[in-house]
Amino acid sequence: MSLRIVVTVKYVPDATGDRHFADDLTVDRDDVDGLLSELDEYAVEQALQISENSDDDVEVTVLTVGPEDAKDALRKALSMGADKAIHVEDDDLHGTDALGTSLVLAKAIEKAGYDLVVSGMASTDGTMGVVPALLAERLGVPQVTLLSEVSVEDGTVKGRRDGDAASEQLEASLPAVVSVTDQSGEARYPSFKGIMAAKKKPVESWDLSDLELEAGQVGLEGSWTTVDSAAQRPARTAGTIVKDEGEGGKQLAEFLASQKFI
Amino acid sequence: MAEVLVYVDHVDGAVRKPTLELLTLARRVGEPVAVALGAGAADTAAVLGEHGAVKVLTHDASEYADYLVVPKVDALQAAVEAVSPAAVLVPSSAEGKEIAARLALRIGSGVITDAVDIEAGDEGPVATQSVFAASFTTKSRVSKGTPVITVKPNSAAVEAAPADAAVSELSVTFSAQATGTRVTGRTPRESTGRPELTEAAIVVSGGRGVNGAENFAIIEALADSLGAAVGASRAAVDAGWYPHTNQVGQTGKSVSPQLYIANGISGAIQHRAGMQTSKTIVAVNKDAEAPIFDLVDYGVVGDLFDVVPALTEEIKTRKG
Ligand SMILES: Cc1cc2nc3c(=O)[nH]c(=O)nc-3n(C[C@H](O)[C@H](O)[C@H](O)COP(=O)(O)OP(=O)(O)OC[C@H]3O[C@@H](n4cnc5c(N)ncnc54)[C@H](O)[C@@H]3O)c2cc1C
Ligand SMILES: Cc1cc2nc3c(=O)[nH]c(=O)nc-3n(C[C@H](O)[C@H](O)[C@H](O)COP(=O)(O)OP(=O)(O)OC[C@H]3O[C@@H](n4cnc5c(N)ncnc54)[C@H](O)[C@@H]3O)c2cc1C
């Protein structure tokens, strides 16, 4: 038996950098360093663990939709241990919304061939947490999302989803789409050997025509949402800072009382 | 006036507060029609009516509890087809966002997640989002189809607005995908007796500075003196000192209370992402250079093991 895993990874601007918007109200990706979304490292990790724990012949493919530099995210995932990579890149993709992104990803996943898709819980820039659910809807396969524990055995994926009101045990037959949270287990660091090996691993590049998509279906033009304005939040006015000389607790209580919290 | 669908988040008929906030926002855009699914759905009608729902569409079936997400999407889609609403509003829980996105795709509409405000506009509802760890505020619209928008808790006040709330049964046919993901076990969260983290008016949080699970007792004591919920930083959660359900931040809960008190928390960007929109922010930290002090209305530079118990005592004294 063989198991084909596709891991979706996003290239995002560094959250600790000065993230902002470009004039067309899309994310400015030029002025801030980009990287593999930290939350997608967990997805790569779980895919590699499923592969390592399996008797099957497993192939792990990492897939990104993003600009030229998004190759860095693929390289990182390859150096962690993924087998090969697919980069969907096209100038017409600029400004694509969540529905458009899911369309491109779903087409690419189908073209690559898959038994299991593993995604992160959310990107660290858009932070919507919807793409995995959209992929399941588009591919017409079960959605087994937001797992803090995942395993695959005999064509069945199982996992634990820790929700607001309850913790749930989930189960579905493959093919399926899963997403994993940052509670699923620390992601490994690429080893020196892994980094060297990654240089030789194949990275395929696809554009929209390879996926039989038209420019108008994606990008700002194909977007079903429109951003009208983006404004920097005014800095919070500087507050009062006191040093505790034995009275800090009392002083704080005084402040809370003045604000009617006590 | 156009109707606006509001997806009801409830536990066995007890409507959660964010849904009532959605009714306030929905009334700005049209007449709220609520959709309540699963066990206890019919019991939601009275409270929904008190807050402005003109109709309540209900449906109960075992599928809602036994399978993940898709049965609810099927039902909401049936409601959209029955009502032809001007917009669909869904509470921004993890599940709410997944339901909203799949619904939007099915009905050929755009989706906006995590709105913190909604106003009526010439070209449909305008959603305000707080993005990049709340350092930017954007205004967006859905430009195709029926706007589907998820809204964060504490985005509007709960307002009384008595309405008819005519209850009718929604007719739902489940899709082939509905039974794809089985829920084979469910462990409900134990109630702590404290307010829900995302809904609380006051949140008291502890971080790595709390230095041990047993020390969280002093954070809880402060929280209880104020009737607050307890939060934790990821460092405290990763150390195993406090449950992950209480984590505040990018990969935990996003909170927007009237008052947020951060104790022994440095203020990393990922923590700020979950609390920066709080109305009043207070911090106790022994490092005067900690970035959390950039956000505060009031800060105490000091050891939390001195300041927090003293604060709790003083609050108790004042409250008598
Ligand atoms: C601040 C901000 C707000 C936005 N708001 C909206 C909005 O309200 N509505 C809307 O339609 N769009 C919105 N967008 C655009 C949207 O974020 C992008 O279209 C994005 O590609 C999909 O959403 P996400 O990044 O939030 O992904 P999420 O749904 O959070 O991502 C979950 C997982 O999907 C996978 N994934 C996501 N994107 C990619 C990718 N490009 N390549 C490979 N894998 C991927 C990853 O595994 C990731 O962990 C917003 C963008 C930003 C920056
Ligand atoms: C993808 C990603 C997602 C993340 N998501 C989250 C998230 O959801 N939530 C989150 O919180 N973090 C998140 N993080 C982690 C975040 O980057 C920080 O590591 C974390 O918030 C630090 O927690 P802390 O402030 O408790 O610990 P530290 O940064 O170690 O700060 C501890 C603070 O306590 C103070 N202190 C120590 N002892 C005392 C004392 N006795 N009295 C008073 N003060 C004292 C110190 O001066 C220090 O400022 C995420 C990181 C990544 C990469």
Side-chain angles (χ1 to χ4, degrees):
Chain A
M1 280 261 298
S2 75
L3 180 68
R4 295 161 302 168
I5 305 180
V6 177
V7 188
T8 58
V9 298
K10 190 175 184 186
Y11 179 75
V12 297
D14 186 350
T16 57
D18 178 21
R19 292 181 295 183
H20 54 274
F21 290 91
D23 291 341
D24 66 354
L25 301 179
T26 63
V27 179
D28 188 332
R29 295 179 189 274
D30 296 334
D31 287 353
V32 182
D33 286 341
L35 76 177
L36 166 62
S37 172
E38 282 124 324
L39 295 175
D40 291 343
E41 290 183 19
Y42 296 93
V44 176
E45 176 63 35
Q46 289 310 311
L48 295 174
Q49 286 193 22
I50 289 167
S51 166
E52 287 155 6
N53 294 334
S54 172
D55 302 328
D56 294 341
D57 187 6
V58 184
E59 184 178 59
V60 177
T61 303
V62 288
L63 164 66
T64 196
V65 173
E68 159 107 55
D69 291 345
K71 282 211 170 52
D72 292 353
L74 294 175
R75 281 285 163 224
K76 169 110 189 237
L78 289 173
S79 59
M80 287 172 73
D83 300 307
K84 61 186 189 102
I86 298 168
H87 184 187
V88 181
E89 189 194 354
D90 199 308
D91 287 345
D92 290 325
L93 283 167
H94 177 78
T96 307
D97 66 2
L99 289 161
T101 301
S102 72
L103 173 65
V104 179
L105 284 169
K107 288 275 187 196
I109 290 165
E110 276 173 332
K111 184 173 158 85
Y114 74 102
D115 301 296
L116 179 67
V117 177
V118 184
S119 298
M121 64 187 288
S123 70
T124 58
D125 58 349
T127 71
M128 295 179 73
V130 299
V131 167
L134 288 169
L135 289 177
E137 179 73 33
R138 289 204 186 265
L139 297 168
V141 302
Q143 158 191 345
V144 198
T145 47
L146 298 172
L147 303 180
S148 38
E149 235 175 58
V150 60
S151 65
V152 175
E153 216 174 318
D154 301 329
T156 301
V157 53
K158 293 184 186 175
R160 193 183 82 237
R161 170 170 164 126
D162 294 327
D164 266 356
S167 177
E168 295 170 329
Q169 296 293 336
L170 305 180
E171 207 178 293
S173 304
L174 297 185
V177 175
V178 314
S179 74
V180 300
T181 73
D182 62 337
Q183 299 294 301
S184 58
E186 273 309 302
R188 68 194 64 188
Y189 287 102
S191 63
F192 179 70
K193 216 175 118 206
I195 294 168
M196 295 316 287
K199 297 193 168 129
K200 298 196 199 78
K201 290 179 180 169
V203 180
E204 275 190 65
S205 265
W206 293 346
D207 62 13
L208 287 177
S209 63
D210 291 319
L211 301 177
E212 289 165 14
L213 289 170
E214 309 275 335
Q217 291 175 274
V218 296
L220 273 178
E221 195 192 329
S223 218
W224 295 356
T225 48
T226 306
V227 182
D228 288 330
S229 69
Q232 191 140 20
R233 198 182 163 82
R236 293 184 81 105
T237 41
T240 310
I241 313 259
V242 299
K243 193 167 180 329
D244 177 38
E245 313 269 10
E247 295 289 305
K250 276 218 168 79
Q251 288 168 294
L252 188 42
E254 189 56 47
F255 169 77
L256 295 181
S258 75
Q259 303 292 310
K260 308 271 189 286
F261 289 116
I262 308 177
Chain B
M1 203 174 183
E3 294 178 315
V4 176
L5 277 190
V6 171
Y7 178 81
V8 178
D9 185 7
H10 70 98
V11 181
D12 295 328
V15 178
R16 296 179 67 183
K17 188 167 152 250
T19 301
L20 303 180
E21 297 164 6
L22 280 193
L23 291 173
T24 300
L25 294 173
R27 284 189 292 115
R28 295 186 191 161
V29 191
E31 291 194 308
V33 174
V35 181
L37 306 172
D43 301 338
T44 61
V47 70
L48 295 171
E50 284 161 29
H51 296 88
V54 297
K55 276 186 219 160
V56 181
L57 307 177
T58 64
H59 188 246
D60 189 11
S62 58
E63 278 82 353
Y64 297 118
D66 295 347
Y67 300 94
L68 193 71
V69 172
V70 187
K72 293 169 182 165
V73 181
D74 291 342
L76 207 47
Q77 185 181 9
V80 169
E81 281 157 11
V83 171
S84 303
V88 182
L89 307 186
V90 181
S92 249
S93 61
E95 183 186 62
K97 292 202 275 189
E98 293 181 331
I99 294 171
R102 293 187 73 142
L103 173 75
L105 176 53
R106 285 191 189 179
I107 63 175
S109 297
V111 60
I112 291 175
T113 55
D114 294 322
V116 294
D117 198 9
I118 293 177
E119 299 145 325
D122 295 341
E123 295 162 283
V126 177
T128 304
Q129 285 168 295
S130 182
V131 307
F132 291 159
S135 59
F136 277 83
T137 304
T138 59
K139 292 204 188 274
S140 351
R141 279 176 296 119
V142 169
S143 41
K144 178 165 180 291
T146 305
V148 180
I149 304 174
T150 79
V151 183
K152 283 193 176 189
N154 280 339
S155 293
V158 174
E159 289 169 7
D164 268 354
V167 182
S168 58
E169 169 117 349
L170 183 66
S171 141
V172 180
T173 316
F174 290 117
S175 65
Q177 314 302 332
T179 53
T181 307
R182 294 178 293 284
V183 179
T184 56
R186 178 177 283 116
T187 318
R189 297 229 166 281
E190 275 173 45
S191 164
T192 58
R194 297 194 180 88
E196 188 67 38
L197 185 55
T198 52
E199 301 171 15
I202 304 180
V203 174
V204 177
S205 287
R208 200 194 305 273
V210 175
N211 199 25
E214 63 290 354
N215 298 337
F216 257 87
I218 69 166
I219 302 298
E220 291 180 335
L222 173 57
D224 292 341
S225 75
L226 291 162
V230 176
S233 73
R234 181 159 111 174
V237 170
D238 283 353
W241 303 340
Y242 222 68
H244 178 253
T245 34
N246 296 74
Q247 182 176 313
V248 172
Q250 187 182 346
T251 54
K253 301 272 160 59
S254 158
V255 302
S256 196
Q258 296 297 318
L259 172 64
Y260 187 86
I261 307 184
N263 303 287
I265 292 176
S266 62
I269 183 87
Q270 296 90 353
H271 187 78
R272 285 153 65 159
M275 46 68 71
Q276 195 153 336
T277 56
S278 305
K279 305 290 174 303
T280 299
I281 299 175
V282 165
V284 179
N285 195 305
K286 67 180 182 188
D287 175 10
E289 303 296 315
I292 191 82
F293 286 125
D294 296 340
L295 299 182
V296 300
D297 297 286
Y298 199 89
V300 179
V301 180
D303 191 323
L304 71 90
F305 293 100
D306 298 329
V307 178
V308 173
L311 172 60
T312 308
E313 271 319 299
E314 184 66 22
I315 292 169
K316 283 189 185 155
T317 312
R318 284 175 186 248
K319 284 193 166 174

